[in-house]
């Protein structure tokens, strides 16, 4: 049966801590198979809204839904469908990796062969097999993160909420994590992930939400948001000859600003769309200049983030 | 470890690896057949163990595994072993050759009991407390909460781990206790009673430990609570040892007629209190929008019913001739009980969550009968008054059967029937007044601040202290009011009014005034709160969201309609 509702939905959430408005009217949706990147400066309210979504905290007003179930009214049904990976590590003493996973598999009501398969799958997926009998307090940061991810997926949830899963991972582990998350999304899970490592995030998300001071400033794909914040693009041209004369020639043109010539290189801001850019290139060639490279630089997630947020802390 | 005779390895699944040639050897045949049978039994048991392991509580499995690896557990185990050996050797050495004719078993039994009581009453409950409190400190509480473990599973798992630990300690000392039985001066009922006392205390204290750990998430409060708990445990240990000492000294206590009744009464009080505390602990770890009140209210009713049944049974044995003597005492017990429960129930939230409203009784009759069990402060108030009224009415019936309510002649022991009846009426009225004012104060305070259940309890404590203490202070400190006798100033003071009433120290005018004014005020309070209750009962039942209905259908599809008789055609789908 095709679900008619989004897997994750936040609806006008508000949460105060004393006078701090930690979550201020946040609404967004995530569909099955989608990875939603949640970014914002420290103290923006990411963790708070994720905890509300995971039934660990209560909003003052608004509601959140997982697979159509309200986190306020039906937390029990939400919990069986949701995997939450908090930004801290919850460990037991005198427990090894396999026992830890076994405990949570039991806690989610998995029995017999089903439980064994779930544990095997999680250990395969996170490559924890060599560590199966290692006590979990002795694991390194990256290993702990893998174990947490394994625990989060043990009951095959349809929704995963991951709070800074990449924090403290080495570059290789980060790349592996990225691939794991993409694979989980391909399995049809809706994934909400927060991270401060924007370059990593940009490569795995379908949509992002930018939050600051509890408010959601922008939602959409990176391209959509960047087009919305500044439609200008940066154009870089390399000529066979000195670029100074082209710079002079371009000064009188429409859509062009912030010219910077440097040897054979020229950089400027262009306010038009792709059609105007093609036209401009044709004109440049017609005017007798000989460009070897003509490139429009797409804005990175970092640029977008810096443009959207203001760096205020509440 | 059980070893396989053929291959010398500790393998259970060795059977298929046996070659037929080996089987043919006659000398080994019997041995192998035996092993074969054993192995078969093992393979037969294995799925059962697996099945059982799957159904065991996840927390119990995890914590037993942890305990087997933990140092603390090994340490206590070894300490207990050493203690039991020391006691045995020391005891036998002191008693010496006279062991066969001196009745020294009692002392030895007490010594063993001490060695057992320390781990059972201190270690086990405190470990239970720590294990739940540590979930909070180690950040694993959230992980438990987002899992699909039910609140019952969480409490059962923690309690079950305490029981397992208890059993291990018991198994160390069981042979020692059996040994004392061989000596003179110890009988089986005493050993059984002492053991069950230790086990029940351990269980109840573990539950209280869990309650303490579940009651708050604030770290500072947890520090205070852990100190209080430690103090309470040592107090309990002292009490347990004192009663053990008394029991062993009393000798042949079980021969007395009343003993069985006393033990049975204590047991039923224990069981009902345990049930109430257990449900409280469970509800403390249940999510906020769930109904966390109804089950507790049923447990309270059950506890009151058990209490009344005992009182009734004991009074009936004497044909209810002592009902006038029993009424004030039972009234006080019930009054204090319901005052405490009421101070908590009136702290409930007045707005019912949509989740709770899904399960509200729908019909008018259902709402009238079960409305008292629906969550909410006003329904809580009415619930308490209804229960206390039941106690009062039952005793009034008893009084009217034994000489009439208005009978003021004192032939036997005091109080007179009319004093006892007035006592019940005024007692009920005071509870109605205190809880009624407290509830109004809480609703007023809720307009400006959040009032928790603890806050509600404290408001009531202050209220009762103030209404009893302030009149006394005024009367003692203001010169023209000063008097050692009862004055009208003490009308709000339940303690003084009720005790003087019982002692017949009120003048008849004072008596009249109290009987007229206090119930009248109580009736006003009751009516005001009834209005609140009407508003609260106005919260209608709501239908479950469509998604929930759909999910329920997926989980439990309705049974297919079967033909009712052989001629009926099944309808095409
Ligand atoms: N338990 C709490 N008590 C009081 N204030 C809190 C609490 N939890 C969060 N806050 C406040 O709410 C705001 C949002 O915090 P939150 O942890 O959600 O931010 P975040 O976006 O996750 O930040 P980070 O990137 O640093 O993890 C902050 O101002 C924080 O101080
Ligand atoms: Mg955070």
């Amino acid at each position: 049966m095709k679900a008619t509702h989004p897997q994750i939905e936040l609806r006008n959430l508000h949460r105060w801590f004393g006078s701090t408005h930690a979550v201020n009217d946040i609404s967004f949706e995530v569909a099955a198979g989608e990875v939603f990147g949640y970014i914002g400066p420290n103290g923006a309210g990411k963790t708070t809204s994720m905890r509300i979504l995971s039934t660990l905290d209560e909003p003052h007003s608004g509601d959140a839904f997982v697979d159509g179930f309200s986190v306020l009214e039906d937390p029990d049904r939400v919990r069986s469908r949701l995997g939450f990976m908090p930004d801290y590590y919850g460990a037991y003493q005198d427990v090894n990796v396999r026992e830890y996973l076994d405990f949570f598999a039991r806690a989610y009501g998995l029995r017999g062969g089903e439980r064994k398969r779930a544990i095997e799958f999680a250990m395969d997926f996170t490559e924890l097999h060599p560590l199966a009998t290692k006590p979990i307090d002795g694991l390194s940061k990256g290993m702990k993160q893998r174990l947490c991810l394994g625990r989060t997926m043990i009951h095959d949830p349809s929704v995963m909420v991951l709070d800074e899963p990449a924090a403290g991972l080495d570059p290789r582990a980060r790349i592996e994590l990225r691939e794991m998350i993409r694979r989980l999304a391909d399995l049809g899970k809706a994934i909400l992930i927060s991270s401060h490592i924007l370059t990593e995030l940009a490569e795995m998300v379908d949509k992002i939400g930018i939050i600051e001071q509890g408010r959601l400033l922008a939602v959409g794909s990176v391209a959509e948001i960047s087009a919305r914040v500044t439609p200008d693009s940066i154009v870089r041209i390399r000529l066979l000859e000195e670029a100074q004369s082209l710079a002079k020639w371009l000064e009188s043109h429409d859509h062009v600003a912030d010219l910077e010539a440097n040897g054979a290189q020229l950089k400027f801001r262009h306010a038009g769309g792709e059609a105007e850019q093609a036209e401009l290139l044709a004109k440049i060639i017609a005017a007798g200049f000989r460009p070897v490279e003509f490139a429009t630089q797409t804005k990175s997630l970092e640029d977008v983030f810096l443009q959207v947020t203001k760096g205020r802390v509440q | 470890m059980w070893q396989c005779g053929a291959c010398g390895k500790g393998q259970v699944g060795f059977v298929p690896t046996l070659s037929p040639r080996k089987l043919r050897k006659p000398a080994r045949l019997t041995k192998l057949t035996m092993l074969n049978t054993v192995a078969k039994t093992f393979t037969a048991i294995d799925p059962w163990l697996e099945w059982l392991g799957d159904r065991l509580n996840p927390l119990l499995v995890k914590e037993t595994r942890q305990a087997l690896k933990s140092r603390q557990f090994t340490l206590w185990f070894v300490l207990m072993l050493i203690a039991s050996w020391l006691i045995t050797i020391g005891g036998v050495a002191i008693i010496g050759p006279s062991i066969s004719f001196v009745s020294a078993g009692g002392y030895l039994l007490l010594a063993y009991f001490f060695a057992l009581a320390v781990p059972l009453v201190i270690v086990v409950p405190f470990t239970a407390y720590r294990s739940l409190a540590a979930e909070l400190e180690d950040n694993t509480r959230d992980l438990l909460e987002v899992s699909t473990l039910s609140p019952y599973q969480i409490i059962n798992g923690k309690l079950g781990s305490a029981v397992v630990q208890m059993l291990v300690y018991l198994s160390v000392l069981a042979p020692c206790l059996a040994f004392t039985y061989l000596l003179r001066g110890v009988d089986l009922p005493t050993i059984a009673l002492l053991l069950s006392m230790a086990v029940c205390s351990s269980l109840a204290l573990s539950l209280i430990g869990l309650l303490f750990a579940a009651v708050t998430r604030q770290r500072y409060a947890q520090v205070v609570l852990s100190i209080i708990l430690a103090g309470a445990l040592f107090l309990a240990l002292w009490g347990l040892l004192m009663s053990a000492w008394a029991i062993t000294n009393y000798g042949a206590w079980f021969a007395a007629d009343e003993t069985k009744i006393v033990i049975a009464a204590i047991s039923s009080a224990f069981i009902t209190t345990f049930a109430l505390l257990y449900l409280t602990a469970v509800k403390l770890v249940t999510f906020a929008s769930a109904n966390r009140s109804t089950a507790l209210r049923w447990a309270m009713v059950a506890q009151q019913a058990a209490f009344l049944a005992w009182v009734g049974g004991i009074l009936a044995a004497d044909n209810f001739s002592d009902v006038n003597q029993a009424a004030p005492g039972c009234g006080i017990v019930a009054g204090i009980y319901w005052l405490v429960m009421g101070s908590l129930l009136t702290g409930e939230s007045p707005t019912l969550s949509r989740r709770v409203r899904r399960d509200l009784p729908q019909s008018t009759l259902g709402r009238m009968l079960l409305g008292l069990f629906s969550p909410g402060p006003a329904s809580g108030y009415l619930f308490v008054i209804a229960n206390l009224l039941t106690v009062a009415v039952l005793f009034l019936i008893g009084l009217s059967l034994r000489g009439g309510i208005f009978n003021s002649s004192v032939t036997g022991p005091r109080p007179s029937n009319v004093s006892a009846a007035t006592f019940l009426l005024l007692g009920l009225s005071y509870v109605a007044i205190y809880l009624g004012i407290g509830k109004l104060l809480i609703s007023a305070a809720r307009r400006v601040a959040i009032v928790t259940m603890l806050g509600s309890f404290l408001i009531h404590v202050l209220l009762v202290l103030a209404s009893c203490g302030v009149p006394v202070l005024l009367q003692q400190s203001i010169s023209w009011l000063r008097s050692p006798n009862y004055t009208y100033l003490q009308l709000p003071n339940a303690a003084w009014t009720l005790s003087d009433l019982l002692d017949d120290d009120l003048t008849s005018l004072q008596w009249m005034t109290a009987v007229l004014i206090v119930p009248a005020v109580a009736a006003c309070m009751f009516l005001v709160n009834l209005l609140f209750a009407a508003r609260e009962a106005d919260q209608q039942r709501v239908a479950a969201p469509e998604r929930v209905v759909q999910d329920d259908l997926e989980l439990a599809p309705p049974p297919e309609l079967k033909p009712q008789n052989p001629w009926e055609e099944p309808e095409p789908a």
Side-chain angles (χ1 to χ4, degrees):
Chain A
M1 194 176 66
K2 181 86 182 69
T4 51
H5 42 260
Q7 283 295 303
I8 301 178
E9 182 184 358
L10 275 67
R11 206 182 281 169
N12 306 106
L13 279 189
H14 287 270
R15 175 74 164 101
W16 275 271
F17 289 110
S19 59
T20 312
H21 204 162
V23 175
N24 185 352
D25 200 30
I26 287 195
S27 311
F28 62 81
E29 295 178 1
V30 185
E34 225 172 36
V35 181
F36 187 96
Y38 207 23
I39 58 179
N42 290 132
K46 301 182 293 293
T47 300
T48 309
S49 40
M50 287 174 133
R51 281 178 63 85
I52 292 174
L53 182 64
S54 310
T55 74
L56 289 172
D57 198 356
E58 281 179 45
H60 283 104
S61 69
D63 202 347
F65 299 85
V66 169
D67 194 12
F69 296 106
S70 154
V71 297
L72 285 178
E73 279 180 57
D74 294 288
D76 36 0
R77 292 180 209 249
V78 167
R79 285 168 185 173
S80 62
R81 292 164 167 82
L82 174 126
F84 174 54
M85 175 168 170
D87 56 350
Y88 45 78
Y89 177 57
Y92 289 110
Q93 275 178 354
D94 299 314
V95 166
N96 68 31
V97 167
R98 185 184 287 279
E99 286 167 349
Y100 187 72
L101 291 177
D102 180 74
F103 168 61
F104 283 100
R106 283 170 192 269
Y108 279 102
L110 301 180
R111 285 178 177 172
E114 198 185 6
R115 186 177 74 239
K116 290 198 183 103
R117 279 194 297 279
I119 296 171
E120 285 308 306
F121 181 72
M123 289 184 42
D124 277 342
F125 198 89
T126 51
E127 291 168 17
L128 280 167
H129 270 299
L131 305 174
T133 55
K134 219 172 160 177
I136 58 171
D137 349 1
L139 295 181
S140 75
K141 173 86 183 171
M143 295 301 164
K144 283 178 184 168
Q145 294 290 83
R146 278 163 192 257
L147 182 61
C148 286
L149 188 67
R151 187 205 61 228
T152 310
M153 54 180 280
I154 195 92
H155 58 298
D156 191 22
S158 58
V159 167
M160 295 181 78
V161 178
L162 313 174
D163 197 359
E164 296 187 30
L169 293 187
D170 68 28
R172 169 180 293 277
R174 284 218 298 267
I175 292 168
E176 282 170 7
L177 179 79
R178 195 175 73 203
E179 276 159 15
M180 282 178 207
I181 288 170
R182 262 314 341 163
R183 260 161 57 207
L184 287 171
D186 293 342
L187 290 174
K189 300 182 191 309
I191 299 176
L192 174 62
I193 175 172
S194 82
S195 180
H196 291 301
I197 306 160
L198 300 183
T199 42
E200 293 286 332
L201 201 63
E203 291 183 39
M204 60 176 145
V205 296
D206 300 302
K207 274 206 274 182
I208 54 165
I210 303 180
I211 176 178
E212 186 172 35
Q213 292 187 310
R215 290 184 155 278
L216 200 59
L217 302 178
V219 190
S221 69
V222 179
E224 275 167 27
I225 296 179
S226 76
R228 211 177 314 144
V229 282
T230 40
D232 299 6
S233 42
I234 308 286
V235 177
R236 210 160 41 79
I237 300 181
R238 192 158 64 84
L239 294 178
L240 269 184
E241 58 273 335
E242 278 286 305
Q244 208 61 46
S245 49
L246 177 60
K248 276 222 179 65
W249 185 82
L250 275 172
E251 262 170 16
S252 58
H253 274 261
D254 287 347
H255 304 317
V256 173
D258 296 346
L259 277 159
E260 258 176 63
N262 185 9
Q265 299 260 12
L266 184 68
K267 214 169 105 182
F268 58 90
R269 215 146 54 79
H270 188 263
E274 288 191 331
E276 282 91 359
Q277 284 171 14
E279 214 170 283
L280 181 67
L281 178 61
K283 277 191 198 163
I284 290 173
I285 294 169
F289 296 103
R290 292 184 295 166
V292 248
E293 259 181 48
F294 184 97
T296 55
Q297 203 175 336
T298 49
K299 261 168 287 169
S300 69
L301 184 53
E302 265 165 19
D303 299 328
V304 174
F305 180 72
L306 290 178
Q307 271 170 357
V308 172
T309 61
K310 312 217 168 41
R312 278 178 310 213
V313 184
Q314 60 179 346
Chain B
M1 179 87 201
W2 175 69
Q3 295 247 317
C4 160
C7 51
K9 282 183 196 150
Q11 281 180 343
V12 177
F14 73 103
V15 182
T17 64
L18 282 180
S19 66
R21 195 169 50 83
K22 278 183 183 166
L23 275 176
R24 244 178 277 127
K25 279 190 180 172
R28 302 190 71 170
L29 192 60
T30 47
K31 197 177 168 193
L32 282 172
T33 348
M34 252 173 63
L35 283 176
N36 227 338
T37 334
V38 174
K40 265 191 192 145
T41 347
F42 259 84
T43 30
I45 290 175
D46 212 38
W48 282 97
L49 284 180
E50 180 120 0
W51 182 88
L52 192 70
D54 269 345
R55 266 139 196 89
L56 282 179
N57 186 298
L59 274 165
L60 181 64
V61 173
K62 188 209 80 190
E63 278 178 21
T64 311
R65 278 181 182 156
Q66 276 176 290
L68 291 179
K69 290 190 207 168
S70 87
R71 284 218 195 94
Q72 183 224 340
F73 185 72
T74 326
L75 184 77
W76 277 104
F77 189 80
V78 172
L79 269 182
M80 263 191 78
L81 267 181
I82 295 175
S84 60
W85 277 103
L86 283 183
I87 294 168
T88 314
I89 295 168
V92 173
I94 290 169
I95 304 164
S98 56
I99 193 158
S100 44
F101 49 88
V102 173
S103 61
Y107 294 108
L108 214 52
L109 179 65
L110 267 186
Y112 287 133
F113 186 72
F114 180 74
L116 181 67
V118 172
L120 248 52
V121 174
I122 307 276
V123 180
V124 172
F126 205 76
T127 312
Y129 164 76
R130 280 301 311 156
S131 95
L132 191 55
E135 301 270 4
L136 201 59
E137 288 156 26
D138 298 341
N139 291 322
T140 46
R141 179 83 176 265
D142 286 347
L143 303 183
L144 284 191
E145 219 162 282
V146 294
S147 78
T148 50
L149 277 179
S150 72
Y152 285 95
Q153 277 178 303
I154 294 181
I155 297 298
N156 289 350
K158 295 286 177 188
L159 213 53
S161 310
V163 171
V164 168
Q165 220 185 336
M166 201 156 82
L167 289 180
V168 173
Y169 294 137
L170 275 175
S171 68
V172 177
L173 274 180
C176 302
L177 291 170
F179 167 63
T180 58
Y181 180 55
L182 300 177
L183 303 177
R184 284 159 165 271
V186 181
D187 42 53
L188 214 49
T190 307
I191 296 182
L193 181 69
L194 290 190
L195 268 183
S196 42
M197 272 166 53
V199 168
C200 289
S201 321
S202 183
L203 205 58
L205 292 168
S206 302
L207 185 60
I208 291 174
L210 292 179
L211 258 176
F212 271 47
V215 80
T216 171
R217 283 182 161 237
Q218 280 165 352
R219 305 247 156 138
Y220 175 72
Q222 280 299 343
V223 173
V224 176
L225 282 180
S226 67
I227 295 170
I228 295 176
L229 179 67
L233 292 182
F234 277 102
L235 217 62
L237 177 67
W238 185 77
L240 187 67
L241 292 178
M242 283 299 122
S243 34
W245 186 75
I247 288 168
T248 46
N249 266 3
Y250 193 75
W253 49 271
F254 45 87
D257 274 347
E258 305 90 55
T259 315
K260 278 193 204 100
I261 297 177
V262 172
I263 290 179
I266 292 178
S267 309
S268 76
F270 177 84
I271 291 168
T272 50
T273 312
F274 190 86
L276 188 63
L277 292 181
Y278 171 80
L279 284 173
T280 312
V282 168
K283 296 299 165 186
L284 279 174
V285 292
T286 305
F287 57 87
S289 66
N291 179 351
R292 300 192 283 182
S293 188
T294 301
L296 287 175
R297 292 189 192 190
W298 281 112
M300 289 173 203
V301 170
Q303 182 150 42
Q304 159 141 312
F307 173 69
L308 288 176
W310 274 105
V311 172
I314 291 169
L315 287 178
D318 266 344
N319 227 346
F320 291 100
S321 58
D322 296 333
V323 67
N324 58 329
Q325 279 175 283
C330 294
I332 290 173
V333 171
I336 292 178
Y337 179 82
W338 287 112
L339 197 58
V340 172
M341 295 307 174
S343 72
L344 295 170
L345 289 177
T346 49
E348 287 180 359
S349 159
T351 42
L352 306 184
S353 71
R354 294 180 68 81
R355 169 69 172 245
V356 169
R357 285 165 62 191
R358 266 184 223 166
D359 301 323
L360 287 181
Q362 209 165 11
S363 63
T364 320
L365 186 69
R367 290 172 72 160
M368 274 165 61
L369 291 178
L370 296 175
L372 290 181
F373 289 89
S374 300
S379 84
Y381 177 77
L382 297 186
F383 171 77
V384 166
I385 301 302
N387 275 294
L388 209 48
L389 193 64
T390 314
V391 180
V393 166
L394 286 178
F395 271 102
L396 290 180
I397 292 173
L399 287 170
S400 63
L401 292 179
R402 297 301 303 184
I405 299 175
F406 301 105
N407 187 348
S408 59
S409 66
V410 186
T411 45
R414 294 205 307 167
S416 63
N417 272 10
V418 68
S419 290
T422 324
F423 183 91
L424 291 173
L425 179 69
L426 290 196
L428 173 67
S429 304
Y430 275 116
V431 174
I433 294 172
Y434 289 155
L435 285 179
I437 296 179
K439 202 193 141 297
L440 294 182
L441 282 179
I442 292 164
S443 344
R446 284 221 161 114
R447 289 172 186 272
V448 288
I450 296 167
V451 181
T452 60
M453 222 166 233
L454 180 68
S456 158
F457 179 72
L458 292 179
I459 287 177
H460 281 96
V461 169
L462 287 180
L463 185 71
V464 172
L465 284 182
S467 54
C468 293
V470 172
V472 174
L473 274 182
L474 286 180
Q475 186 163 336
Q476 299 307 326
S477 53
I478 300 175
S479 57
W480 55 271
L481 283 176
R482 196 165 293 152
S483 149
N485 296 324
Y486 187 86
T487 61
Y488 289 116
L489 190 61
Q490 301 302 331
L491 270 183
N493 181 347
W496 198 336
T497 311
L498 289 176
S499 73
D500 271 15
L501 174 79
L502 216 51
D503 296 342
D504 291 333
D505 283 346
L506 300 183
T507 65
S508 52
L509 193 61
Q510 282 171 337
W511 188 90
M512 280 302 282
T513 322
V515 167
L516 285 179
I517 290 186
V518 176
V521 175
C524 292
M525 255 319 128
F526 184 78
L527 286 178
V528 171
N529 279 293
L530 203 59
L531 290 182
F532 274 89
R535 204 187 302 164
E536 208 175 272
D538 220 24
Q539 305 187 66
Q540 299 285 335
R541 179 186 166 109
V542 293
E546 205 178 312
R547 182 76 183 91
V548 172
V549 176
Q550 185 191 342
D551 190 47
D552 280 341
L553 276 180
E554 275 168 32
L555 289 177
E560 280 178 36
L561 284 177
K562 292 219 179 78
Q564 300 289 311
N565 55 58
W567 298 277
E568 194 176 307
E569 287 284 315
E571 278 184 38

